[in-house]
Amino acid sequence: MTNIPMIIMLAVLGLVGVGFYALLATRNLIKVIIALQILVKGGLLAMVLAGRIQGQVMVGQSMALTAIVADTIVAVVGLALAVQVRKHHGTIDLKQLTKLKR
Amino acid sequence: MINALVAVAMIICAIQAIRVKKLLSAALWLAGCSAMVALMLYLLGAPEIAVIELSVGAGLVTVLFVFAINIIGDEKPVTEPGIPPLIAWALVILSIGILAYLNLPLLSEVIPDLAEIPMASTTIWTDRMLDVILQIVLIFVGVMGVINLISDSKAKEKNQ
């Protein structure tokens, strides 16, 4: 039979890798938020898997619930920040934003 | 078998979400990735979390992304990466290697059966009360963020 925990763990590693690479390499503020979302989705899957393997199903699931809520709020606040940054500075390119002097 | 298919689809959606140039397409690929994560959670025996992930992760967040991208406008894409790709790849491979080294030996061959599971509501309301309080606080913060987003778009319309 197929080894389901191994498949899910590999998927988690893939998601975390993709999200981490995008977080390092991208310069667009919106893309950074997308990368954070992908990264947290990997963590979410890992939490539920860990709860399932350890036999503490509900602990893993309630932590996953908290992670979903926190992740959504991070996206909301990040998008609001991106909109404000765009409004005040005219760009959402991170490299140009770091070059700005006041 | 279906787990492997869903995992592959999930990773393809994630790669597409960071690879495509248009921000709107990236948001839609992210929604697809979220839907695949929800399917995987359902297969893993967590239907409540799957429903919440599908409605919040694939629904609400996508709507917010489309709204924000609509305000910001599609900037012309930046091709050059933030840090040199070689360093980025090295860091990613290093971190993934450490994660795999620490986690893969802990995995069991099969998932244990779901025997007696306590009710989701009892666990959440009694054992993890702190989480619920934290979630309430976070939701207030989110409301502030949404107000910020919406008020800004109104101000922009007024200026025009």
Side-chain angles (χ1 to χ4, degrees):
Chain A
M1 277 306 284
T2 49
N3 190 347
I4 292 176
M6 182 66 86
I7 292 172
I8 297 177
M9 197 65 219
L10 290 178
V12 167
L13 291 179
L15 282 182
V16 170
V18 169
F20 192 41
Y21 176 78
L23 207 54
L24 288 173
T26 189
R27 284 172 52 180
N28 191 322
L29 204 48
I30 302 270
K31 280 280 181 74
V32 169
I33 301 169
I34 289 178
L36 271 177
Q37 292 270 316
I38 292 173
L39 201 59
V40 173
K41 279 183 210 317
L44 186 77
L45 214 51
M47 273 181 218
V48 175
L49 178 69
R52 186 71 198 272
I53 287 178
Q54 292 292 321
Q56 297 177 325
V57 181
M58 286 326 293
V59 176
Q61 291 194 9
S62 58
M63 280 189 163
L65 190 61
T66 311
I68 291 176
V69 174
D71 183 34
T72 310
I73 304 308
V74 166
V76 171
V77 175
L79 287 172
L81 178 74
V83 169
Q84 296 293 341
V85 164
R86 166 79 182 184
K87 194 179 139 197
H88 288 292
H89 298 299
T91 180
I92 49 172
D93 185 352
L94 288 175
K95 212 153 219 174
Q96 288 184 24
L97 286 175
T98 40
K99 278 179 192 161
L100 287 177
K101 283 185 183 165
R102 268 212 31 95
Chain B
M1 184 61 199
I2 189 163
N3 288 70
L5 282 179
V6 172
V8 169
M10 189 192 306
I11 291 176
I12 288 175
C13 283
I15 291 173
Q16 280 291 328
I18 65 165
R19 209 179 63 88
V20 290
K21 292 276 183 283
K22 288 189 68 171
L23 291 177
L24 208 54
S25 318
L28 294 180
W29 279 110
L30 180 70
C33 177
S34 189
M36 288 301 143
V37 171
L39 190 52
M40 187 67 109
L41 288 173
Y42 180 77
L43 291 175
L44 202 53
E48 296 101 347
I49 305 298
V51 167
I52 293 170
E53 167 69 22
L54 192 61
S55 59
V56 172
L60 176 65
V61 171
T62 309
V63 170
L64 287 171
F65 264 108
V66 171
F67 189 67
I69 292 168
N70 196 16
I71 295 175
I72 288 175
D74 235 340
E75 279 209 342
K76 66 175 195 305
V78 187
T79 45
E80 62 210 273
I83 66 171
L86 205 64
I87 299 176
W89 276 115
L91 285 173
V92 168
I93 289 171
L94 183 69
S95 60
I96 292 298
I98 291 173
L99 268 181
Y101 172 73
L102 291 176
N103 278 314
L104 289 183
L106 298 178
L107 292 180
S108 52
E109 281 290 313
V110 286
I111 294 184
D113 272 339
L114 288 172
E116 66 283 358
I117 296 175
M119 284 291 291
S121 51
T122 32
T123 312
I124 289 173
W125 284 108
T126 56
D127 295 349
R128 309 209 57 90
M129 197 61 207
L130 195 63
D131 284 11
V132 176
I133 295 171
L134 178 70
Q135 285 172 23
I136 293 169
V137 173
L138 282 176
I139 287 170
F140 274 113
V141 175
V143 170
M144 292 298 165
V146 171
I147 289 173
N148 195 335
L149 265 176
I150 292 172
S151 67
D152 181 73
S153 69
K154 272 182 189 163
K156 204 174 182 182
E157 281 166 16
K158 211 178 277 178
N159 285 342
Q160 285 167 356

